[in-house]
Amino acid sequence: MVLSGSPYERGFQHGNQFADLIGQALGRRLASLSAADLSQAHKRASAVLATVDVMAPHVGAELRGIADGAGREVLGIVLRSSFELLAPPAATGCSGLAVQTRDGALIAQNWDGPPGSDAEQALFIHVGPSGFEFATVAAVGGLGWVGFNRAGFGFVNNDLVLKSRCDGIPSQIVRRVFLGCRDVNTAIEAANSLPHMAGRAYLFGDASKQIASIEVSARHGVSVFRSGSFFAHTNHALNDQIRADEDSELLAKQYPSTQKRLEVLKIREAGCTNACEVMDILRDRTNAPDSVCKQTSLREPTQTAFSVVMQCWNRTLFLARGMPSATEYQRISL
């Protein structure tokens, strides 16, 4: 869906187009909360919105636009983009890659979620007064999971299961701040300046061929990996200090396949020189169902809901809905 105009107008178009789906998704998620938990979630969402209005007012305007377009209260829409405020959060284990090729940087990911979550995802292309601004894949009513902007900067990310949390800003709002960055260097600066609410790993790439792997922790802040032409990440921390903050018991329960998925990604590094080869890696079914291209199982009930490859040097997106082993990538020139 192409969204055009001011941030509020783009939000309104988004909310209006998907009002029914947004209402159904919020109803399912909030119905599982007790009255006390819902009250606490709204209180925390109000604090988040106040922070966003100061740090990123354009994001606050978009959230209000989505709410007005969908006919919902704005705090409900804030919660839609703030899964960290809701317990327990939905499992979204993912497998990501950042690659420096001869032509430039490639950023890619299989985004895994509960069965049926692919039906809630959409590609939103944001157009402002000066033309194309950014594209993001988001759950309807949300701000976005991955993104790519007019400067050729893109990112993907992975959930980390850490013990520490703080009253920062939710990761979807962090991601929207990243989409205002022109390159990897400015995105790292932004990561260091933001109050991160919980654990997350990001892979960055830009039009100048730079790539980076970033891990964030509420307790230890930001860890940056920059030396190398290939980075792979799944759902466990790679930095020693951040790994010490991991909830190992919950990690093993929530993402038991994380180590095997990372091993497969690293084994495939040598054959990773262009977008087609990256797509082939994202189709990998080794260790199925707990594979890079993931299928739901009793052990780990998530599966790949969409797969994305970002070609930074010419602003080209390759996107597949569902498991890429069973569907074709669509090429989208931005």
CSV table of all heavy atoms in Angstrom, one decimal, residues 30-54:
chain,number,residue,atom,x,y,z
A,30,LEU,N,-5.7,-8.0,23.2
A,30,LEU,CA,-6.1,-7.4,24.5
A,30,LEU,C,-7.1,-8.2,25.3
A,30,LEU,O,-7.2,-8.0,26.5
A,30,LEU,CB,-6.6,-5.9,24.2
A,30,LEU,CG,-5.6,-5.0,23.5
A,30,LEU,CD1,-6.2,-3.6,23.4
A,30,LEU,CD2,-4.3,-4.9,24.3
A,31,ALA,N,-7.9,-9.0,24.6
A,31,ALA,CA,-8.8,-9.9,25.3
A,31,ALA,C,-8.2,-10.8,26.3
A,31,ALA,O,-8.8,-11.3,27.2
A,31,ALA,CB,-9.7,-10.6,24.3
A,32,SER,N,-6.9,-11.1,26.0
A,32,SER,CA,-6.2,-12.1,26.9
A,32,SER,C,-5.7,-11.5,28.2
A,32,SER,O,-5.2,-12.2,29.1
A,32,SER,CB,-5.0,-12.7,26.1
A,32,SER,OG,-4.1,-11.7,25.8
A,33,LEU,N,-5.8,-10.1,28.3
A,33,LEU,CA,-5.3,-9.5,29.5
A,33,LEU,C,-6.4,-9.3,30.5
A,33,LEU,O,-7.6,-9.0,30.2
A,33,LEU,CB,-4.8,-8.1,29.1
A,33,LEU,CG,-3.6,-8.0,28.1
A,33,LEU,CD1,-3.3,-6.6,27.8
A,33,LEU,CD2,-2.4,-8.8,28.5
A,34,SER,N,-6.0,-9.4,31.8
A,34,SER,CA,-6.9,-9.1,32.9
A,34,SER,C,-7.2,-7.6,32.9
A,34,SER,O,-6.4,-6.8,32.3
A,34,SER,CB,-6.4,-9.5,34.2
A,34,SER,OG,-5.2,-8.7,34.6
A,35,ALA,N,-8.2,-7.1,33.6
A,35,ALA,CA,-8.5,-5.7,33.7
A,35,ALA,C,-7.3,-4.9,34.3
A,35,ALA,O,-7.0,-3.8,33.8
A,35,ALA,CB,-9.8,-5.5,34.5
A,36,ALA,N,-6.7,-5.5,35.3
A,36,ALA,CA,-5.5,-4.9,35.9
A,36,ALA,C,-4.4,-4.8,35.0
A,36,ALA,O,-3.7,-3.7,34.9
A,36,ALA,CB,-5.1,-5.6,37.2
A,37,ASP,N,-4.1,-5.8,34.2
A,37,ASP,CA,-3.0,-5.8,33.3
A,37,ASP,C,-3.2,-4.8,32.2
A,37,ASP,O,-2.3,-4.2,31.7
A,37,ASP,CB,-2.8,-7.2,32.7
A,37,ASP,CG,-2.1,-8.2,33.7
A,37,ASP,OD1,-1.6,-7.7,34.7
A,37,ASP,OD2,-2.2,-9.4,33.5
A,38,LEU,N,-4.5,-4.8,31.7
A,38,LEU,CA,-4.8,-3.8,30.6
A,38,LEU,C,-4.7,-2.4,31.1
A,38,LEU,O,-4.1,-1.6,30.4
A,38,LEU,CB,-6.3,-4.1,30.2
A,38,LEU,CG,-6.7,-3.2,29.0
A,38,LEU,CD1,-5.8,-3.5,27.8
A,38,LEU,CD2,-8.2,-3.6,28.6
A,39,SER,N,-5.1,-2.1,32.3
A,39,SER,CA,-4.9,-0.8,32.9
A,39,SER,C,-3.4,-0.4,33.0
A,39,SER,O,-3.1,0.7,32.6
A,39,SER,CB,-5.6,-0.7,34.2
A,39,SER,OG,-5.3,0.6,34.8
A,40,GLN,N,-2.6,-1.3,33.4
A,40,GLN,CA,-1.2,-1.1,33.5
A,40,GLN,C,-0.6,-0.9,32.1
A,40,GLN,O,0.3,0.0,31.9
A,40,GLN,CB,-0.5,-2.2,34.2
A,40,GLN,CG,1.0,-2.1,34.5
A,40,GLN,CD,1.3,-0.9,35.4
A,40,GLN,OE1,0.5,-0.5,36.2
A,40,GLN,NE2,2.5,-0.3,35.2
A,41,ALA,N,-1.0,-1.7,31.1
A,41,ALA,CA,-0.5,-1.5,29.8
A,41,ALA,C,-0.8,-0.2,29.2
A,41,ALA,O,0.0,0.5,28.6
A,41,ALA,CB,-1.0,-2.7,28.9
A,42,HIS,N,-2.1,0.3,29.4
A,42,HIS,CA,-2.5,1.6,28.9
A,42,HIS,C,-1.6,2.7,29.6
A,42,HIS,O,-1.3,3.7,29.0
A,42,HIS,CB,-3.9,1.8,29.2
A,42,HIS,CG,-4.8,1.2,28.1
A,42,HIS,ND1,-6.0,0.6,28.4
A,42,HIS,CD2,-4.6,1.1,26.8
A,42,HIS,CE1,-6.6,0.2,27.3
A,42,HIS,NE2,-5.7,0.4,26.3
A,43,LYS,N,-1.3,2.5,30.9
A,43,LYS,CA,-0.6,3.5,31.6
A,43,LYS,C,0.9,3.6,31.0
A,43,LYS,O,1.4,4.7,30.8
A,43,LYS,CB,-0.5,3.2,33.1
A,43,LYS,CG,0.1,4.2,34.0
A,43,LYS,CD,0.1,3.8,35.4
A,43,LYS,CE,-1.3,3.6,35.9
A,43,LYS,NZ,-1.4,3.3,37.4
A,44,ARG,N,1.4,2.5,30.7
A,44,ARG,CA,2.8,2.5,30.2
A,44,ARG,C,2.8,3.0,28.7
A,44,ARG,O,3.7,3.6,28.3
A,44,ARG,CB,3.4,1.0,30.2
A,44,ARG,CG,3.6,0.5,31.7
A,44,ARG,CD,4.2,-0.8,31.7
A,44,ARG,NE,5.6,-0.8,31.2
A,44,ARG,CZ,6.3,-1.9,30.9
A,44,ARG,NH1,5.7,-3.1,31.0
A,44,ARG,NH2,7.5,-1.8,30.5
A,45,ALA,N,1.7,2.6,28.0
A,45,ALA,CA,1.6,3.1,26.6
A,45,ALA,C,1.5,4.7,26.6
A,45,ALA,O,2.0,5.3,25.7
A,45,ALA,CB,0.4,2.5,25.9
A,46,SER,N,0.8,5.2,27.6
A,46,SER,CA,0.7,6.7,27.7
A,46,SER,C,2.0,7.3,27.9
A,46,SER,O,2.4,8.4,27.3
A,46,SER,CB,-0.3,7.1,28.8
A,46,SER,OG,-0.4,8.5,28.9
A,47,ALA,N,2.9,6.7,28.7
A,47,ALA,CA,4.2,7.2,29.0
A,47,ALA,C,5.1,7.1,27.7
A,47,ALA,O,5.9,8.0,27.4
A,47,ALA,CB,4.9,6.4,30.1
A,48,VAL,N,4.9,6.0,27.0
A,48,VAL,CA,5.7,5.8,25.8
A,48,VAL,C,5.3,6.9,24.8
A,48,VAL,O,6.1,7.5,24.1
A,48,VAL,CB,5.4,4.4,25.1
A,48,VAL,CG1,5.9,4.3,23.7
A,48,VAL,CG2,6.2,3.3,26.0
A,49,LEU,N,4.0,7.2,24.6
A,49,LEU,CA,3.5,8.2,23.7
A,49,LEU,C,4.1,9.5,24.0
A,49,LEU,O,4.5,10.3,23.1
A,49,LEU,CB,2.0,8.2,23.6
A,49,LEU,CG,1.4,9.1,22.6
A,49,LEU,CD1,1.8,8.7,21.2
A,49,LEU,CD2,-0.2,9.0,22.7
A,50,ALA,N,4.1,9.9,25.3
A,50,ALA,CA,4.7,11.2,25.7
A,50,ALA,C,6.1,11.3,25.4
A,50,ALA,O,6.6,12.3,24.9
A,50,ALA,CB,4.5,11.3,27.2
A,51,THR,N,6.9,10.2,25.5
A,51,THR,CA,8.3,10.2,25.1
A,51,THR,C,8.5,10.3,23.6
A,51,THR,O,9.3,11.1,23.2
A,51,THR,CB,9.0,8.9,25.6
A,51,THR,OG1,8.8,8.8,27.0
A,51,THR,CG2,10.5,8.9,25.3
A,52,VAL,N,7.6,9.6,22.9
A,52,VAL,CA,7.7,9.7,21.4
A,52,VAL,C,7.4,11.1,20.9
A,52,VAL,O,8.1,11.6,20.0
A,52,VAL,CB,6.8,8.6,20.8
A,52,VAL,CG1,6.6,8.8,19.3
A,52,VAL,CG2,7.3,7.2,21.1
A,53,ASP,N,6.4,11.7,21.5
A,53,ASP,CA,6.1,13.1,21.1
A,53,ASP,C,7.2,14.0,21.3
A,53,ASP,O,7.3,15.0,20.5
A,53,ASP,CB,4.9,13.6,21.9
A,53,ASP,CG,3.6,12.9,21.5
A,53,ASP,OD1,3.5,12.5,20.3
A,53,ASP,OD2,2.6,12.9,22.3
A,54,VAL,N,8.1,13.8,22.2
A,54,VAL,CA,9.3,14.6,22.4
A,54,VAL,C,10.5,14.2,21.5
A,54,VAL,O,11.1,15.0,20.8
A,54,VAL,CB,9.8,14.6,23.8
A,54,VAL,CG1,11.1,15.3,24.0
A,54,VAL,CG2,8.7,15.2,24.8
